[in-house]
Amino acid sequence: MSDPDMIEGTNGPAPPVPVEPPGADSKVRAVARLWPVGTRPSVLRAWQPPATPYGRGHRGVDLAAPPDAPVRSVAPGRVSFAGRVAGRGAIAVELAGTGDPPLRTTFTPVRATVRKGDEVAAGDVLGTLEPDASHCPTSCLHWGLLRDRTYLDPLSLLPAWLLRGAPSRLLPVPTERRQP
């Protein structure tokens, strides 16, 4: 007899099939127009989705930035939270035109200059980066992205040209000068 849960040549049940991490199959349009800090900050720690909703992972990206650096909205939206969470400044912005429920970006640790309900445009300053030695070895912004309660990779909001750096430039082709 053959048992579909048995692998031929083993004495036990088949190993579980790996399941994609929460949010791994979610599609996100590149709606951002700029980085939240600087022009091309270093990513100190990348997004690492948890294997389960309550599992270990890194639910955002850490971007290098000096204390008091301006933190900007990456796309138009509405501030859905501006306050303190566990002693750290936090801001959340629901991004306009990103579906139902809308995408929501989060920023910590940030001293807010906006209030809940404020409408913001891409590039508007939300606040300034607070010094915080508990999250990164150097000063950093933790930037997150959610749709409802599902964490997503915030770098997926950035168009390819922003991720690569400066756009390509065409240079003139050198030609040989002819002597008269």
Side-chain angles (χ1 to χ4, degrees):
M1 271 194 181
S2 174
D3 183 347
D5 290 333
M6 300 295 279
I7 296 177
E8 192 174 326
T10 67
N11 294 329
V17 175
V19 177
E20 284 191 89
D25 62 343
S26 298
K27 301 290 183 217
V28 174
R29 286 183 317 144
V31 296
R33 298 292 165 250
L34 66 152
W35 289 87
V37 288
T39 54
R40 178 66 172 96
S42 296
V43 176
L44 300 176
R45 187 171 176 199
W47 181 65
Q48 297 167 314
T52 65
Y54 301 104
R56 291 181 56 132
H58 191 241
R59 294 166 172 85
V61 295
D62 294 335
L63 303 175
D68 297 320
V71 177
R72 301 178 184 279
S73 180
V74 298
R78 184 182 58 80
V79 177
S80 59
F81 180 84
R84 303 204 68 78
V85 176
R88 298 170 63 198
I91 299 173
V93 176
E94 288 182 355
L95 302 181
T98 58
D100 187 31
L103 292 172
R104 187 172 70 247
T105 55
T106 60
F107 309 89
T108 56
V110 179
R111 186 178 312 108
T113 57
V114 293
R115 293 191 315 243
K116 181 179 179 179
D118 286 353
E119 297 287 330
V120 293
D124 284 356
V125 174
L126 304 172
T128 57
L129 187 64
E130 294 179 333
D132 180 31
S134 67
H135 189 74
C136 294
T138 63
S139 179
C140 76
L141 172 72
H142 180 82
W143 179 31
L145 175 65
L146 298 98
R147 182 178 304 279
D148 197 23
R149 294 180 182 201
T150 301
Y151 286 89
L152 305 166
D153 184 358
L155 294 180
S156 64
L157 289 173
L158 297 171
W161 66 268
L162 267 177
L163 288 169
R164 285 192 308 265
S168 300
R169 290 187 311 173
L170 295 176
L171 299 174
V173 176
T175 59
E176 190 175 319
R177 285 188 174 232
R178 295 185 184 200
Q179 301 268 335

